[in-house]
Amino acid sequence: MAENDPEITLETYDKHQIKIPKSIATRSANTGDVNEVVPLADKSCTLNIMNRVIEYLKKHAEFDSTGADDEVINEFDKEFQEQSDEIIFQTILAANFLDIKNLLELMCKKVADEIKKCKTPDDIRDRFNIRKDYTPEEVEEVKRAHPWIYDKNAK
């Protein structure tokens, strides 16, 4: 980042203002003009989550400018993914809102990897604390319509 890189002010959903270099802000498709405060209206864009998003963007800008090798980038990304489910899902929502595709894909990959570890739909519900809304009759109907979901031998 250049010393004279103008800054953009982002206002988080919880009304904190963060100044970031324009070169970092433009990595998101949803940032505004350099002379104005950009309000982030999505409730996932809190100060805590935005600090994480900015950390990711700054580190990847550094990787780009230094020509970091894939091993270094992958190590950072792996460590970045190691967060609570709440932080992961809020980061996914913020990345989607801000249109930061590589961050969105990284965090969605983390969720997909966790789903792959589950053997059944019930395991997925347990892993992500998803409430079971179906009546027993509805569950049976789904089992009949999609038996492969409940096939323990399927890969």
Side-chain angles (χ1 to χ4, degrees):
M1 292 173 289
E3 293 265 336
N4 60 356
D5 194 3
E7 291 186 326
I8 290 179
T9 302
L10 302 177
E11 184 175 84
T12 65
Y13 183 78
D14 48 355
K15 303 300 180 201
H16 292 89
Q17 290 193 351
I18 306 171
K19 290 185 182 290
I20 62 170
K22 184 176 183 181
S23 61
I24 299 299
T26 56
R27 290 174 170 260
S28 162
N30 289 344
T31 54
D33 191 311
V34 75
N35 296 321
E36 56 184 63
V37 174
V38 180
L40 303 174
D42 191 85
K43 66 182 178 179
S44 66
C45 295
T46 61
L47 179 63
N48 181 38
I49 297 301
M50 287 309 301
N51 282 335
R52 288 190 42 74
V53 169
I54 292 165
E55 172 193 0
Y56 176 87
L57 294 175
K58 284 182 176 179
K59 195 66 174 175
H60 275 262
E62 178 186 318
F63 292 150
D64 291 348
S65 68
T66 62
D69 63 28
D70 288 345
E71 186 176 322
V72 172
I73 296 169
N74 291 339
E75 183 62 33
F76 171 80
D77 286 351
K78 184 176 180 180
E79 288 177 21
F80 190 85
Q81 288 176 316
E82 295 307 316
Q83 298 295 323
S84 69
D85 288 351
E86 175 74 17
I87 299 290
I88 290 169
F89 287 116
Q90 291 300 312
T91 304
I92 288 171
L93 293 171
N96 186 52
F97 175 75
L98 295 167
D99 197 15
I100 305 171
K101 290 182 184 0
N102 54 349
L103 177 57
L104 179 62
E105 289 172 4
L106 177 71
M107 301 313 285
C108 286
K109 182 182 181 317
K110 172 67 174 172
V111 174
D113 290 344
E114 291 298 315
I115 291 171
K116 286 179 188 176
K117 293 177 187 176
C118 300
K119 303 291 183 209
T120 66
D122 287 335
D123 291 343
I124 295 170
R125 276 192 211 88
D126 291 343
R127 167 62 186 85
F128 292 104
N129 198 23
I130 299 170
R131 201 179 73 213
K132 193 172 185 176
D133 293 9
Y134 297 112
T135 65
E137 295 79 21
E138 290 171 324
V139 170
E140 286 306 314
E141 183 180 329
V142 170
K143 284 181 179 180
R144 278 192 304 278
H146 308 286
W148 59 270
I149 295 174
Y150 290 89
D151 183 1
K152 292 184 186 339
N153 297 322
K155 292 186 181 183

Short mmCIF file of all heavy atoms in Angstrom, two decimals, residues 28-86:
data_model
loop_
_atom_site.label_atom_id
_atom_site.label_comp_id
_atom_site.label_asym_id
_atom_site.label_seq_id
_atom_site.Cartn_x
_atom_site.Cartn_y
_atom_site.Cartn_z
N SER A 28 -13.51 -4.92 -2.26
CA SER A 28 -14.94 -5.20 -2.14
C SER A 28 -15.64 -4.43 -3.24
O SER A 28 -15.31 -3.28 -3.53
CB SER A 28 -15.46 -4.71 -0.78
OG SER A 28 -16.87 -4.60 -0.81
N ALA A 29 -16.62 -5.06 -3.85
CA ALA A 29 -17.36 -4.40 -4.93
C ALA A 29 -18.39 -3.39 -4.39
O ALA A 29 -18.98 -2.65 -5.15
CB ALA A 29 -18.06 -5.44 -5.79
N ASN A 30 -18.58 -3.34 -3.07
CA ASN A 30 -19.64 -2.50 -2.50
C ASN A 30 -19.14 -1.34 -1.66
O ASN A 30 -19.80 -0.94 -0.71
CB ASN A 30 -20.57 -3.35 -1.64
CG ASN A 30 -21.42 -4.27 -2.46
OD1 ASN A 30 -21.54 -4.10 -3.65
ND2 ASN A 30 -22.00 -5.26 -1.83
N THR A 31 -17.98 -0.79 -1.97
CA THR A 31 -17.53 0.38 -1.22
C THR A 31 -17.74 1.63 -2.05
O THR A 31 -17.75 1.59 -3.27
CB THR A 31 -16.05 0.24 -0.82
OG1 THR A 31 -15.28 -0.01 -1.99
CG2 THR A 31 -15.86 -0.87 0.19
N GLY A 32 -17.88 2.75 -1.36
CA GLY A 32 -18.24 3.98 -2.05
C GLY A 32 -17.06 4.87 -2.38
O GLY A 32 -15.91 4.45 -2.35
N ASP A 33 -17.38 6.10 -2.67
CA ASP A 33 -16.40 7.12 -3.04
C ASP A 33 -15.48 7.41 -1.85
O ASP A 33 -15.87 7.34 -0.70
CB ASP A 33 -17.15 8.40 -3.45
CG ASP A 33 -16.24 9.41 -4.09
OD1 ASP A 33 -15.17 9.69 -3.53
OD2 ASP A 33 -16.62 9.93 -5.16
N VAL A 34 -14.26 7.80 -2.16
CA VAL A 34 -13.24 8.04 -1.14
C VAL A 34 -13.60 9.21 -0.21
O VAL A 34 -13.11 9.30 0.88
CB VAL A 34 -11.86 8.26 -1.79
CG1 VAL A 34 -11.77 9.62 -2.42
CG2 VAL A 34 -10.75 8.03 -0.81
N ASN A 35 -14.48 10.10 -0.63
CA ASN A 35 -14.81 11.29 0.16
C ASN A 35 -16.02 11.12 1.06
O ASN A 35 -16.45 12.07 1.69
CB ASN A 35 -15.05 12.48 -0.78
CG ASN A 35 -13.81 12.84 -1.55
OD1 ASN A 35 -12.72 12.81 -1.00
ND2 ASN A 35 -13.97 13.17 -2.82
N GLU A 36 -16.59 9.96 1.11
CA GLU A 36 -17.79 9.81 1.91
C GLU A 36 -17.66 8.65 2.88
O GLU A 36 -16.81 7.79 2.74
CB GLU A 36 -19.02 9.61 1.02
CG GLU A 36 -18.90 8.44 0.07
CD GLU A 36 -20.09 8.31 -0.87
OE1 GLU A 36 -20.31 9.23 -1.68
OE2 GLU A 36 -20.77 7.29 -0.78
N VAL A 37 -18.52 8.66 3.88
CA VAL A 37 -18.61 7.55 4.82
C VAL A 37 -19.51 6.50 4.19
O VAL A 37 -20.60 6.81 3.71
CB VAL A 37 -19.19 8.01 6.18
CG1 VAL A 37 -19.41 6.83 7.09
CG2 VAL A 37 -18.27 9.04 6.83
N VAL A 38 -19.04 5.27 4.16
CA VAL A 38 -19.80 4.19 3.56
C VAL A 38 -20.51 3.42 4.67
O VAL A 38 -19.88 2.72 5.46
CB VAL A 38 -18.89 3.22 2.76
CG1 VAL A 38 -19.71 2.11 2.14
CG2 VAL A 38 -18.11 3.98 1.70
N PRO A 39 -21.85 3.57 4.76
CA PRO A 39 -22.57 2.82 5.80
C PRO A 39 -22.76 1.36 5.37
O PRO A 39 -23.11 1.09 4.23
CB PRO A 39 -23.91 3.54 5.88
CG PRO A 39 -24.08 4.18 4.54
CD PRO A 39 -22.71 4.44 3.99
N LEU A 40 -22.48 0.47 6.28
CA LEU A 40 -22.65 -0.96 6.02
C LEU A 40 -23.95 -1.39 6.68
O LEU A 40 -24.00 -1.62 7.89
CB LEU A 40 -21.45 -1.74 6.54
CG LEU A 40 -20.10 -1.29 5.97
CD1 LEU A 40 -18.96 -2.02 6.65
CD2 LEU A 40 -20.07 -1.49 4.47
N ALA A 41 -25.01 -1.47 5.89
CA ALA A 41 -26.36 -1.66 6.41
C ALA A 41 -26.66 -3.10 6.81
O ALA A 41 -27.66 -3.35 7.46
CB ALA A 41 -27.38 -1.19 5.39
N ASP A 42 -25.81 -4.05 6.44
CA ASP A 42 -26.09 -5.45 6.77
C ASP A 42 -25.72 -5.72 8.22
O ASP A 42 -24.62 -5.37 8.67
CB ASP A 42 -25.31 -6.37 5.84
CG ASP A 42 -25.77 -7.81 5.98
OD1 ASP A 42 -26.75 -8.17 5.30
OD2 ASP A 42 -25.15 -8.55 6.76
N LYS A 43 -26.60 -6.39 8.96
CA LYS A 43 -26.36 -6.60 10.39
C LYS A 43 -25.16 -7.50 10.67
O LYS A 43 -24.67 -7.53 11.79
CB LYS A 43 -27.61 -7.13 11.08
CG LYS A 43 -28.04 -8.51 10.65
CD LYS A 43 -29.32 -8.91 11.37
CE LYS A 43 -29.78 -10.27 10.90
NZ LYS A 43 -30.99 -10.69 11.58
N SER A 44 -24.64 -8.20 9.67
CA SER A 44 -23.44 -9.01 9.88
C SER A 44 -22.18 -8.14 9.90
O SER A 44 -21.13 -8.59 10.36
CB SER A 44 -23.31 -10.06 8.77
OG SER A 44 -23.10 -9.43 7.53
N CYS A 45 -22.28 -6.91 9.45
CA CYS A 45 -21.10 -6.03 9.33
C CYS A 45 -20.86 -5.26 10.63
O CYS A 45 -20.82 -4.03 10.65
CB CYS A 45 -21.27 -5.08 8.15
SG CYS A 45 -21.30 -5.93 6.56
N THR A 46 -20.67 -5.98 11.71
CA THR A 46 -20.36 -5.36 13.00
C THR A 46 -18.87 -5.04 13.06
O THR A 46 -18.09 -5.49 12.22
CB THR A 46 -20.72 -6.31 14.15
OG1 THR A 46 -19.92 -7.50 14.02
CG2 THR A 46 -22.21 -6.66 14.16
N LEU A 47 -18.48 -4.30 14.07
CA LEU A 47 -17.07 -3.94 14.23
C LEU A 47 -16.19 -5.19 14.29
O LEU A 47 -15.17 -5.26 13.60
CB LEU A 47 -16.88 -3.08 15.49
CG LEU A 47 -15.44 -2.66 15.78
CD1 LEU A 47 -14.90 -1.78 14.66
CD2 LEU A 47 -15.36 -1.94 17.12
N ASN A 48 -16.58 -6.16 15.08
CA ASN A 48 -15.78 -7.39 15.22
C ASN A 48 -15.61 -8.10 13.88
O ASN A 48 -14.49 -8.46 13.50
CB ASN A 48 -16.44 -8.31 16.25
CG ASN A 48 -15.66 -9.59 16.48
OD1 ASN A 48 -14.43 -9.59 16.49
ND2 ASN A 48 -16.38 -10.68 16.64
N ILE A 49 -16.68 -8.29 13.16
CA ILE A 49 -16.61 -9.00 11.88
C ILE A 49 -15.86 -8.17 10.85
O ILE A 49 -15.03 -8.69 10.09
CB ILE A 49 -18.03 -9.37 11.38
CG1 ILE A 49 -18.72 -10.33 12.36
CG2 ILE A 49 -17.97 -9.96 9.97
CD1 ILE A 49 -17.98 -11.66 12.60
N MET A 50 -16.10 -6.88 10.81
CA MET A 50 -15.40 -6.03 9.84
C MET A 50 -13.90 -5.99 10.11
O MET A 50 -13.10 -5.95 9.18
CB MET A 50 -16.00 -4.63 9.82
CG MET A 50 -17.36 -4.56 9.16
SD MET A 50 -17.41 -5.34 7.51
CE MET A 50 -16.17 -4.39 6.63
N ASN A 51 -13.51 -6.02 11.38
CA ASN A 51 -12.08 -6.08 11.68
C ASN A 51 -11.46 -7.36 11.11
O ASN A 51 -10.35 -7.35 10.59
CB ASN A 51 -11.82 -5.98 13.18
CG ASN A 51 -11.92 -4.55 13.67
OD1 ASN A 51 -11.73 -3.60 12.93
ND2 ASN A 51 -12.25 -4.40 14.95
N ARG A 52 -12.19 -8.45 11.19
CA ARG A 52 -11.71 -9.72 10.62
C ARG A 52 -11.65 -9.64 9.09
O ARG A 52 -10.69 -10.09 8.48
CB ARG A 52 -12.61 -10.88 11.04
CG ARG A 52 -12.44 -11.25 12.50
CD ARG A 52 -13.14 -12.54 12.86
NE ARG A 52 -13.01 -13.61 11.89
CZ ARG A 52 -11.92 -14.34 11.66
NH1 ARG A 52 -10.84 -14.11 12.33
NH2 ARG A 52 -11.93 -15.30 10.76
N VAL A 53 -12.68 -9.09 8.48
CA VAL A 53 -12.71 -8.95 7.03
C VAL A 53 -11.54 -8.09 6.57
O VAL A 53 -10.83 -8.43 5.61
CB VAL A 53 -14.06 -8.36 6.56
CG1 VAL A 53 -14.01 -7.95 5.09
CG2 VAL A 53 -15.20 -9.36 6.80
N ILE A 54 -11.31 -6.99 7.26
CA ILE A 54 -10.22 -6.08 6.89
C ILE A 54 -8.86 -6.77 7.10
O ILE A 54 -7.95 -6.62 6.28
CB ILE A 54 -10.32 -4.76 7.66
CG1 ILE A 54 -11.56 -4.00 7.19
CG2 ILE A 54 -9.06 -3.92 7.51
CD1 ILE A 54 -11.99 -2.86 8.09
N GLU A 55 -8.73 -7.53 8.17
CA GLU A 55 -7.49 -8.30 8.39
C GLU A 55 -7.22 -9.22 7.19
O GLU A 55 -6.11 -9.28 6.68
CB GLU A 55 -7.61 -9.14 9.66
CG GLU A 55 -6.48 -10.13 9.87
CD GLU A 55 -6.76 -11.17 10.96
OE1 GLU A 55 -7.84 -11.15 11.58
OE2 GLU A 55 -5.88 -12.02 11.15
N TYR A 56 -8.26 -9.91 6.75
CA TYR A 56 -8.14 -10.81 5.60
C TYR A 56 -7.73 -10.03 4.34
O TYR A 56 -6.81 -10.42 3.63
CB TYR A 56 -9.46 -11.54 5.37
CG TYR A 56 -9.47 -12.42 4.14
CD1 TYR A 56 -9.02 -13.73 4.21
CD2 TYR A 56 -9.91 -11.93 2.92
CE1 TYR A 56 -9.00 -14.53 3.08
CE2 TYR A 56 -9.89 -12.71 1.79
CZ TYR A 56 -9.45 -14.03 1.87
OH TYR A 56 -9.43 -14.80 0.74
N LEU A 57 -8.41 -8.93 4.07
CA LEU A 57 -8.12 -8.14 2.87
C LEU A 57 -6.71 -7.57 2.90
O LEU A 57 -6.00 -7.60 1.89
CB LEU A 57 -9.14 -7.02 2.71
CG LEU A 57 -10.58 -7.44 2.43
CD1 LEU A 57 -11.50 -6.23 2.41
CD2 LEU A 57 -10.68 -8.23 1.13
N LYS A 58 -6.29 -7.06 4.05
CA LYS A 58 -4.93 -6.51 4.16
C LYS A 58 -3.88 -7.59 3.95
O LYS A 58 -2.88 -7.38 3.25
CB LYS A 58 -4.73 -5.84 5.53
CG LYS A 58 -5.39 -4.50 5.64
CD LYS A 58 -5.13 -3.87 7.00
CE LYS A 58 -5.71 -2.47 7.07
NZ LYS A 58 -5.48 -1.86 8.39
N LYS A 59 -4.11 -8.75 4.55
CA LYS A 59 -3.12 -9.82 4.43
C LYS A 59 -3.04 -10.30 2.99
O LYS A 59 -1.94 -10.53 2.47
CB LYS A 59 -3.50 -10.98 5.37
CG LYS A 59 -2.39 -11.95 5.59
CD LYS A 59 -1.25 -11.30 6.34
CE LYS A 59 -0.19 -12.33 6.68
NZ LYS A 59 0.98 -11.73 7.29
N HIS A 60 -4.16 -10.42 2.32
CA HIS A 60 -4.14 -10.86 0.92
C HIS A 60 -3.56 -9.78 0.00
O HIS A 60 -2.92 -10.11 -1.00
CB HIS A 60 -5.52 -11.35 0.47
CG HIS A 60 -5.74 -12.78 0.83
ND1 HIS A 60 -5.55 -13.80 -0.05
CD2 HIS A 60 -6.08 -13.37 2.00
CE1 HIS A 60 -5.77 -14.96 0.54
NE2 HIS A 60 -6.09 -14.73 1.80
N ALA A 61 -3.74 -8.51 0.34
CA ALA A 61 -3.08 -7.44 -0.42
C ALA A 61 -1.56 -7.55 -0.25
O ALA A 61 -0.80 -7.38 -1.21
CB ALA A 61 -3.58 -6.08 0.04
N GLU A 62 -1.15 -7.85 0.97
CA GLU A 62 0.29 -8.05 1.24
C GLU A 62 0.81 -9.25 0.44
O GLU A 62 1.90 -9.17 -0.15
CB GLU A 62 0.50 -8.27 2.74
CG GLU A 62 1.92 -8.55 3.15
CD GLU A 62 2.02 -8.89 4.63
OE1 GLU A 62 1.35 -8.23 5.45
OE2 GLU A 62 2.78 -9.83 4.96
N PHE A 63 0.06 -10.33 0.44
CA PHE A 63 0.47 -11.51 -0.34
C PHE A 63 0.63 -11.15 -1.82
O PHE A 63 1.58 -11.57 -2.46
CB PHE A 63 -0.54 -12.66 -0.22
CG PHE A 63 -0.61 -13.29 1.15
CD1 PHE A 63 -1.80 -13.85 1.60
CD2 PHE A 63 0.49 -13.36 1.98
CE1 PHE A 63 -1.88 -14.45 2.84
CE2 PHE A 63 0.42 -13.95 3.23
CZ PHE A 63 -0.76 -14.50 3.67
N ASP A 64 -0.32 -10.38 -2.34
CA ASP A 64 -0.26 -9.98 -3.75
C ASP A 64 0.98 -9.12 -4.04
O ASP A 64 1.64 -9.30 -5.05
CB ASP A 64 -1.52 -9.21 -4.15
CG ASP A 64 -2.76 -10.08 -4.19
OD1 ASP A 64 -2.64 -11.33 -4.12
OD2 ASP A 64 -3.88 -9.51 -4.26
N SER A 65 1.27 -8.19 -3.13
CA SER A 65 2.39 -7.27 -3.37
C SER A 65 3.75 -7.94 -3.18
O SER A 65 4.73 -7.52 -3.79
CB SER A 65 2.27 -6.03 -2.49
OG SER A 65 2.47 -6.37 -1.13
N THR A 66 3.81 -8.97 -2.33
CA THR A 66 5.09 -9.64 -2.09
C THR A 66 5.27 -10.89 -2.92
O THR A 66 6.34 -11.49 -2.90
CB THR A 66 5.25 -10.01 -0.60
OG1 THR A 66 4.21 -10.92 -0.24
CG2 THR A 66 5.22 -8.77 0.29
N GLY A 67 4.21 -11.31 -3.62
CA GLY A 67 4.30 -12.54 -4.41
C GLY A 67 4.45 -13.77 -3.54
O GLY A 67 5.20 -14.69 -3.87
N ALA A 68 3.75 -13.79 -2.41
CA ALA A 68 3.83 -14.91 -1.48
C ALA A 68 3.47 -16.21 -2.17
O ALA A 68 2.61 -16.25 -3.06
CB ALA A 68 2.90 -14.67 -0.29
N ASP A 69 4.12 -17.29 -1.74
CA ASP A 69 3.81 -18.58 -2.37
C ASP A 69 2.53 -19.17 -1.78
O ASP A 69 2.06 -18.76 -0.72
CB ASP A 69 4.99 -19.56 -2.29
CG ASP A 69 5.38 -19.94 -0.87
OD1 ASP A 69 4.51 -19.92 0.02
OD2 ASP A 69 6.55 -20.28 -0.65
N ASP A 70 1.99 -20.13 -2.50
CA ASP A 70 0.70 -20.73 -2.13
C ASP A 70 0.72 -21.33 -0.74
O ASP A 70 -0.29 -21.28 -0.03
CB ASP A 70 0.29 -21.79 -3.15
CG ASP A 70 -0.13 -21.18 -4.48
OD1 ASP A 70 -0.37 -19.96 -4.53
OD2 ASP A 70 -0.21 -21.92 -5.48
N GLU A 71 1.84 -21.89 -0.32
CA GLU A 71 1.92 -22.52 1.00
C GLU A 71 1.68 -21.50 2.11
O GLU A 71 0.94 -21.77 3.06
CB GLU A 71 3.29 -23.17 1.17
CG GLU A 71 3.41 -23.99 2.44
CD GLU A 71 4.75 -24.69 2.55
OE1 GLU A 71 5.27 -25.16 1.52
OE2 GLU A 71 5.28 -24.75 3.67
N VAL A 72 2.27 -20.33 1.97
CA VAL A 72 2.10 -19.26 2.97
C VAL A 72 0.64 -18.78 2.98
O VAL A 72 0.04 -18.61 4.04
CB VAL A 72 3.06 -18.09 2.68
CG1 VAL A 72 2.78 -16.90 3.58
CG2 VAL A 72 4.51 -18.54 2.81
N ILE A 73 0.09 -18.58 1.81
CA ILE A 73 -1.30 -18.12 1.69
C ILE A 73 -2.26 -19.16 2.28
O ILE A 73 -3.15 -18.82 3.07
CB ILE A 73 -1.66 -17.81 0.23
CG1 ILE A 73 -0.81 -16.66 -0.30
CG2 ILE A 73 -3.16 -17.50 0.08
CD1 ILE A 73 -0.89 -16.45 -1.79
N ASN A 74 -2.05 -20.41 1.93
CA ASN A 74 -2.92 -21.48 2.43
C ASN A 74 -2.84 -21.62 3.95
O ASN A 74 -3.85 -21.89 4.60
CB ASN A 74 -2.60 -22.81 1.76
CG ASN A 74 -2.98 -22.82 0.29
OD1 ASN A 74 -3.82 -22.04 -0.16
ND2 ASN A 74 -2.35 -23.69 -0.47
N GLU A 75 -1.66 -21.43 4.52
CA GLU A 75 -1.50 -21.50 5.97
C GLU A 75 -2.29 -20.38 6.66
O GLU A 75 -2.99 -20.61 7.64
CB GLU A 75 -0.02 -21.43 6.36
CG GLU A 75 0.23 -21.58 7.84
CD GLU A 75 -0.22 -22.91 8.41
OE1 GLU A 75 -0.15 -23.94 7.70
OE2 GLU A 75 -0.65 -22.94 9.58
N PHE A 76 -2.17 -19.16 6.11
CA PHE A 76 -2.94 -18.04 6.66
C PHE A 76 -4.43 -18.33 6.55
O PHE A 76 -5.18 -18.15 7.53
CB PHE A 76 -2.61 -16.73 5.95
CG PHE A 76 -3.54 -15.61 6.35
CD1 PHE A 76 -3.36 -14.92 7.53
CD2 PHE A 76 -4.62 -15.27 5.54
CE1 PHE A 76 -4.24 -13.91 7.92
CE2 PHE A 76 -5.50 -14.26 5.91
CZ PHE A 76 -5.30 -13.58 7.10
N ASP A 77 -4.88 -18.74 5.38
CA ASP A 77 -6.30 -19.01 5.16
C ASP A 77 -6.82 -20.09 6.11
O ASP A 77 -7.92 -19.96 6.67
CB ASP A 77 -6.56 -19.42 3.71
CG ASP A 77 -6.48 -18.24 2.75
OD1 ASP A 77 -6.39 -17.08 3.20
OD2 ASP A 77 -6.51 -18.50 1.52
N LYS A 78 -6.03 -21.13 6.31
CA LYS A 78 -6.45 -22.21 7.22
C LYS A 78 -6.61 -21.68 8.65
O LYS A 78 -7.60 -21.98 9.31
CB LYS A 78 -5.44 -23.34 7.18
CG LYS A 78 -5.83 -24.54 8.00
CD LYS A 78 -4.84 -25.67 7.86
CE LYS A 78 -5.30 -26.84 8.72
NZ LYS A 78 -4.41 -27.96 8.65
N GLU A 79 -5.66 -20.89 9.10
CA GLU A 79 -5.76 -20.30 10.44
C GLU A 79 -6.94 -19.34 10.53
O GLU A 79 -7.62 -19.27 11.56
CB GLU A 79 -4.46 -19.59 10.81
CG GLU A 79 -3.32 -20.53 11.10
CD GLU A 79 -2.01 -19.80 11.39
OE1 GLU A 79 -2.05 -18.60 11.77
OE2 GLU A 79 -0.96 -20.44 11.24
N PHE A 80 -7.18 -18.58 9.46
CA PHE A 80 -8.28 -17.63 9.43
C PHE A 80 -9.63 -18.33 9.57
O PHE A 80 -10.55 -17.79 10.18
CB PHE A 80 -8.23 -16.81 8.13
CG PHE A 80 -9.17 -15.65 8.12
CD1 PHE A 80 -8.80 -14.44 8.68
CD2 PHE A 80 -10.43 -15.76 7.55
CE1 PHE A 80 -9.67 -13.36 8.68
CE2 PHE A 80 -11.31 -14.68 7.54
CZ PHE A 80 -10.92 -13.48 8.11
N GLN A 81 -9.73 -19.54 9.03
CA GLN A 81 -10.98 -20.29 9.08
C GLN A 81 -11.28 -20.86 10.46
O GLN A 81 -12.42 -21.21 10.74
CB GLN A 81 -10.92 -21.48 8.10
CG GLN A 81 -10.99 -21.11 6.66
CD GLN A 81 -10.84 -22.34 5.78
OE1 GLN A 81 -9.99 -23.19 6.02
NE2 GLN A 81 -11.65 -22.42 4.75
N GLU A 82 -10.29 -20.97 11.31
CA GLU A 82 -10.47 -21.60 12.62
C GLU A 82 -11.13 -20.63 13.59
O GLU A 82 -10.47 -19.98 14.39
CB GLU A 82 -9.13 -22.10 13.16
CG GLU A 82 -8.52 -23.21 12.33
CD GLU A 82 -9.46 -24.39 12.10
OE1 GLU A 82 -10.14 -24.83 13.07
OE2 GLU A 82 -9.53 -24.88 10.96
N GLN A 83 -12.44 -20.55 13.50
CA GLN A 83 -13.24 -19.66 14.34
C GLN A 83 -14.49 -20.39 14.79
O GLN A 83 -14.81 -21.46 14.28
CB GLN A 83 -13.64 -18.41 13.55
CG GLN A 83 -12.48 -17.57 13.08
CD GLN A 83 -11.70 -16.96 14.21
OE1 GLN A 83 -12.27 -16.56 15.23
NE2 GLN A 83 -10.39 -16.88 14.06
N SER A 84 -15.21 -19.77 15.68
CA SER A 84 -16.49 -20.35 16.11
C SER A 84 -17.46 -20.33 14.93
O SER A 84 -17.30 -19.55 13.98
CB SER A 84 -17.07 -19.55 17.27
OG SER A 84 -17.49 -18.27 16.82
N ASP A 85 -18.47 -21.18 15.00
CA ASP A 85 -19.50 -21.21 13.95
C ASP A 85 -20.13 -19.83 13.78
O ASP A 85 -20.37 -19.39 12.65
CB ASP A 85 -20.58 -22.24 14.26
CG ASP A 85 -20.11 -23.66 14.10
OD1 ASP A 85 -19.00 -23.88 13.58
OD2 ASP A 85 -20.86 -24.58 14.51
N GLU A 86 -20.39 -19.15 14.87
CA GLU A 86 -21.02 -17.82 14.81
C GLU A 86 -20.16 -16.86 13.98
O GLU A 86 -20.67 -16.17 13.09
CB GLU A 86 -21.20 -17.27 16.23
CG GLU A 86 -21.72 -15.86 16.28
CD GLU A 86 -23.20 -15.73 15.94
OE1 GLU A 86 -23.93 -16.74 15.96
OE2 GLU A 86 -23.62 -14.61 15.62
#
